[in-house]
Amino acid sequence: MAPITGSQRASKGFEQRPEILQDHANQQPTMETIRTAITAAISNYHDFNPATIDELAEEPSPLEFMRYVSRNRPFVVRRAAANWTAVKKWDAEYLREKMGREEVQVTVTPLGNADAVVEDTNGQLLFVQPYETTEPFNEFLSYVQADSACPLEQREGRNVKYAQTQNDNLHTEYSTLLPDIPSSIPFARIALDQEADAINLWIGNARSTTALHKDNYENVYVQIRGQKHFVLLSPTEIPCVNEQPLPQAHYAPNGEKGELVIERDLEAEDLPFATWDPDAPTERMTRWSGLARPLRCTLGEGDVLYLPAM
Amino acid sequence: MAPITGSQRASKGFEQRPEILQDHANQQPTMETIRTAITAAISNYHDFNPATIDELAEEPSPLEFMRYVSRNRPFVVRRAAANWTAVKKWDAEYLREKMGREEVQVTVTPLGNADAVVEDTNGQLLFVQPYETTEPFNEFLSYVQADSACPLEQREGRNVKYAQTQNDNLHTEYSTLLPDIPSSIPFARIALDQEADAINLWIGNARSTTALHKDNYENVYVQIRGQKHFVLLSPTEIPCVNEQPLPQAHYAPNGEKGELVIERDLEAEDLPFATWDPDAPTERMTRWSGLARPLRCTLGEGDVLYLPAM
């Protein structure tokens, strides 16, 4: 006879989902209806969420972390990894000693643009993967160091190398470095009730960039050396990024000098990929790109960033 | 120099979001592209999620609860409220004693269809709100009891009364009953870090129904007396429910007998509302309705259901 409801609100961002999906035989939504709903969804998202990344004073509890996961919002904890052996000990000399001439996978691009959208000479946009090679770790590291030491004007024509495998590489090619990393990040392990699917080490320099993309993983990112600049968009802002199916291609060395040229992967299917770049916001805009409010942050040594899935 | 990533996957359902939203000047998505993406989104959701409601052996911890919130999935805990004073003590006599002739708000409909989609005599769908009145609690309760005791064939033409205010009514019109309810549901209060926005008591009988709808609240529902049958759809299944803007109307008593008739609210704006009913699944279908997999459960006395927002 008597149901009782105790209701509690949580911001899941659902109020921002466009309601465009009725498809009754007699009442097709028009493109204009769809567009208006998308505009409202993005505006509502920004009304309910700040345009900044939360900075926490200390690591969250598993429950506090899960509140961020459920709301799909990032946060930073400065210096939370300051006591990791990796943060304390890793420098070029130490890494050389541990890794020596171990073969590692390296991506090579002319401009640091790994997995990037590139316009070919005909104005056709392509999704271009880097040239992939392997080389001894100490040679790779020397190349990256020399590149960083090189004056900017002398780097023209010099390829960019970036170690950026995402195949759990600290359990494989970099396993000699694994003891320098905690065996898990407890707040994430407890909250999600599982170990990390992958632990990856990436090594690059200031010229390494990664194109705007989305991953289907909850990601806890730790900066060990140097800095990294992040630009984040919420999934609600997907209409801003002008995702398009792009023909696939890759860089390949050509001729005696081994200059990298783009080769089309003619048998590969087109890949849907963001073509709008928040750092070149007036190019390849959609009607919604102007509504995007990218979240930006720069990580320093020992800083930890929670990057929500997607 | 060395970013590290520990990534962990959580099912947020994002992999199921349709990617229909590019709008480059030269590459408008077609309606067919949109339809294919919606079909894929619904199918993917079902591939990743069971078509049943989890039954937990005991109340979840705040962290376990938050995992359900983040995944937007319901669960049931049978008899979790068995020790509530309300579950132990409430019967008609007790409620009469506590509430007496206190005026309460009651909705009245001809068929139990509060806030429902009704087709008028011209075939026009309307969103019809119930006739709202107030009456002394003991008279309301007697009416509901008599209705329940009445043989089905004699109920024709007899209106259905349902106390279903959603304005935190256990703090207002039913405040004399508030002491019989715990001051909070700890797993939800701790997880969401807030008290309930509202605590509502609803009293009806087997003829009381509520149309398929969505609420922007996390809801912990407790059955005190009798049973309630729930049919739940995920937000991903919105394309199945044929949401349409409906003219608004309400029931009003007419003539000497006070028979309820529908009156249009001519100045009200159309209200977007689901017109597909999972219990009449071949009527008013969209092309996606057949893909819906409604989750069904029946609550008995003392059972607790977490109803995710939306």
Side-chain angles (χ1 to χ4, degrees), chain B residues 148-169:
Chain B
S148 296
C150 194
L152 257 186
E153 64 276 13
Q154 291 173 30
R155 292 200 219 177
E156 195 135 330
R158 189 180 159 87
N159 289 331
V160 178
K161 294 189 179 183
Y162 190 12
Q164 56 150 8
T165 46
Q166 295 172 46
N167 56 356
D168 197 23
N169 68 25

Side-chain angles (χ1 to χ4, degrees), chain A residues 128-142:
Chain A
V128 184
Q129 296 191 294
Y131 174 59
E132 295 191 17
T133 184
T134 62
E135 54 188 83
F137 177 82
N138 54 2
E139 291 180 16
F140 160 69
L141 192 59
S142 295

Side-chain angles (χ1 to χ4, degrees), chain A residues 54-289:
Chain A
D54 282 5
E55 302 234 351
L56 307 188
E58 55 187 3
E59 282 195 4
S61 73
L63 181 56
E64 288 166 333
F65 174 60
M66 211 58 196
R67 290 189 196 125
Y68 280 90
V69 173
S70 74
R71 292 166 52 227
N72 209 48
R73 294 287 299 184
F75 62 79
V76 167
V77 196
R78 299 290 176 194
R79 304 287 298 156
N83 289 321
W84 287 22
T85 303
V87 175
K88 286 180 164 175
K89 285 199 179 171
W90 286 7
D91 58 21
E93 186 183 7
Y94 180 90
L95 294 177
R96 267 202 190 84
E97 184 191 314
K98 290 278 182 183
M99 290 289 299
R101 294 191 55 77
E102 194 82 40
E103 288 282 322
V104 294
Q105 293 185 59
V106 174
T107 64
V108 191
T109 55
L111 302 165
N113 50 334
D115 292 356
V117 175
V118 179
E119 200 170 317
D120 74 7
T121 47
N122 303 321
Q124 165 74 56
L125 291 182
L126 303 171
F127 177 75
V128 184
Q129 296 191 294
Y131 174 59
E132 295 191 17
T133 184
T134 62
E135 54 188 83
F137 177 82
N138 54 2
E139 291 180 16
F140 160 69
L141 192 59
S142 295
Y143 185 96
V144 171
Q145 288 185 293
D147 190 71
S148 295
C150 194
L152 256 185
E153 63 276 13
Q154 292 174 29
R155 293 200 217 175
E156 193 136 329
R158 190 180 160 87
N159 289 332
V160 178
K161 294 188 178 182
Y162 190 12
Q164 55 148 11
T165 48
Q166 296 172 45
N167 55 356
D168 197 25
N169 68 22
L170 269 165
H171 284 112
T172 53
E173 49 185 351
Y174 297 101
S175 60
T176 60
L177 297 173
L178 188 63
D180 297 345
I181 304 294
S183 62
S184 82
I185 295 177
F187 68 79
R189 173 179 50 78
I190 296 167
L192 301 174
D193 197 22
Q194 62 169 85
E195 301 292 335
D197 284 333
I199 310 179
N200 295 310
L201 167 64
W202 299 331
I203 304 177
N205 65 15
R207 289 212 287 161
S208 302
T209 59
T210 304
L212 185 68
H213 66 285
K214 58 189 191 304
D215 291 322
N216 186 27
Y217 287 89
E218 308 299 344
N219 194 323
V220 178
Y221 187 100
V222 181
Q223 188 73 20
I224 306 295
R225 283 290 170 269
Q227 289 189 325
K228 180 158 173 159
H229 308 288
F230 284 86
V231 183
L232 306 180
L233 294 175
S234 86
T236 309
E237 289 166 306
I238 283 182
C240 307
V241 309
N242 204 0
E243 200 167 61
Q244 291 186 25
L246 298 184
Q248 298 197 52
H250 63 276
Y251 283 112
N254 187 43
E256 269 181 33
K257 283 185 168 175
E259 191 193 1
L260 291 176
V261 296
I262 292 174
E263 285 184 2
R264 289 281 291 269
D265 299 328
L266 292 171
E267 283 167 29
E269 284 193 9
D270 286 1
L271 192 78
F273 207 81
T275 65
W276 181 71
D277 180 349
D279 288 335
T282 59
E283 295 170 24
R284 298 197 287 265
M285 297 179 77
T286 71
R287 66 186 64 231
W288 297 287
S289 300

Side-chain angles (χ1 to χ4, degrees), chain B:
Chain B
M1 184 167 84
I4 284 185
T5 303
S7 66
Q8 303 191 251
R9 191 200 310 256
S11 166
K12 282 182 182 167
F14 288 128
E15 61 272 51
Q16 298 90 26
R17 194 166 290 194
E19 288 167 9
I20 61 171
L21 304 176
Q22 68 272 26
D23 187 36
H24 193 256
N26 304 321
Q27 270 184 284
Q28 292 281 0
T30 63
M31 271 294 171
E32 196 47 42
T33 312
I34 293 177
R35 286 179 183 141
T36 305
I38 291 173
T39 301
I42 297 169
S43 300
N44 288 343
Y45 181 83
H46 291 139
D47 287 348
F48 283 95
N49 293 281
T52 54
I53 297 176
D54 282 7
E55 300 235 352
L56 308 188
E58 56 186 2
E59 283 196 2
S61 72
L63 181 55
E64 288 166 332
F65 174 62
M66 212 57 199
R67 290 188 194 123
Y68 280 90
V69 173
S70 75
R71 293 167 50 229
N72 210 47
R73 295 287 298 181
F75 63 80
V76 166
V77 196
R78 299 289 176 196
R79 304 287 298 156
N83 288 320
W84 287 21
T85 303
V87 175
K88 288 182 163 173
K89 287 200 177 168
W90 286 7
D91 57 21
E93 184 184 9
Y94 180 91
L95 294 177
R96 264 201 193 86
E97 183 191 315
K98 289 278 182 184
M99 290 290 298
R101 294 191 53 77
E102 194 83 39
E103 288 282 323
V104 295
Q105 293 185 58
V106 174
T107 64
V108 191
T109 56
L111 302 165
N113 50 335
D115 293 356
V117 176
V118 178
E119 200 169 316
D120 73 9
T121 47
N122 303 321
Q124 164 74 54
L125 292 182
L126 303 172
F127 176 76
V128 184
Q129 296 191 293
Y131 174 58
E132 296 191 16
T133 184
T134 63
E135 55 187 82
F137 177 82
N138 54 2
E139 291 180 15
F140 160 69
L141 192 60
S142 296
Y143 184 97
V144 171
Q145 287 185 293
D147 190 70
S148 296
C150 194
L152 257 186
E153 64 276 13
Q154 291 173 30
R155 292 200 219 177
E156 195 135 330
R158 189 180 159 87
N159 289 331
V160 178
K161 294 189 179 183
Y162 190 12
Q164 56 150 8
T165 46
Q166 295 172 46
N167 56 356
D168 197 23
N169 68 25
L170 270 165
H171 284 112
T172 54
E173 48 186 352
Y174 296 101
S175 60
T176 60
L177 297 172
L178 187 63
D180 296 345
I181 305 295
S183 61
S184 82
I185 294 176
F187 69 77
R189 173 179 51 78
I190 295 166
L192 301 174
D193 197 22
Q194 61 168 87
E195 300 292 337
D197 284 334
I199 309 178
N200 294 312
L201 167 64
W202 299 329
I203 302 176
N205 66 15
R207 290 212 287 161
S208 300
T209 60
T210 304
L212 185 67
H213 66 285
K214 57 188 192 304
D215 290 322
N216 185 29
Y217 287 88
E218 308 301 345
N219 195 324
V220 178
Y221 187 100
V222 181
Q223 189 73 21
I224 305 295
R225 282 292 169 270
Q227 290 189 324
K228 180 157 174 159
H229 308 290
F230 284 86
V231 183
L232 306 181
L233 294 174
S234 86
T236 308
E237 290 166 306
I238 283 182
C240 308
V241 308
N242 203 1
E243 200 167 59
Q244 291 187 23
L246 297 184
Q248 298 197 52
H250 63 276
Y251 283 112
N254 186 42
E256 270 180 32
K257 283 186 165 174
E259 190 192 359
L260 291 177
V261 297
I262 292 174
E263 286 183 2
R264 289 281 290 271
D265 300 327
L266 293 171
E267 282 166 29
E269 286 194 7
D270 286 3
L271 193 78
F273 206 82
T275 64
W276 181 70
D277 180 351
D279 287 336
T282 59
E283 295 170 24
R284 298 196 288 265
M285 297 178 78
T286 71
R287 66 186 66 230
W288 297 286
S289 300
L291 298 177
R293 292 196 202 157
L295 305 177
R296 290 171 191 275
C297 76
T298 295
L299 293 197
E301 295 180 2
D303 292 349
V304 172
L305 169 66
Y306 164 57
L307 273 165
M310 307 301 282

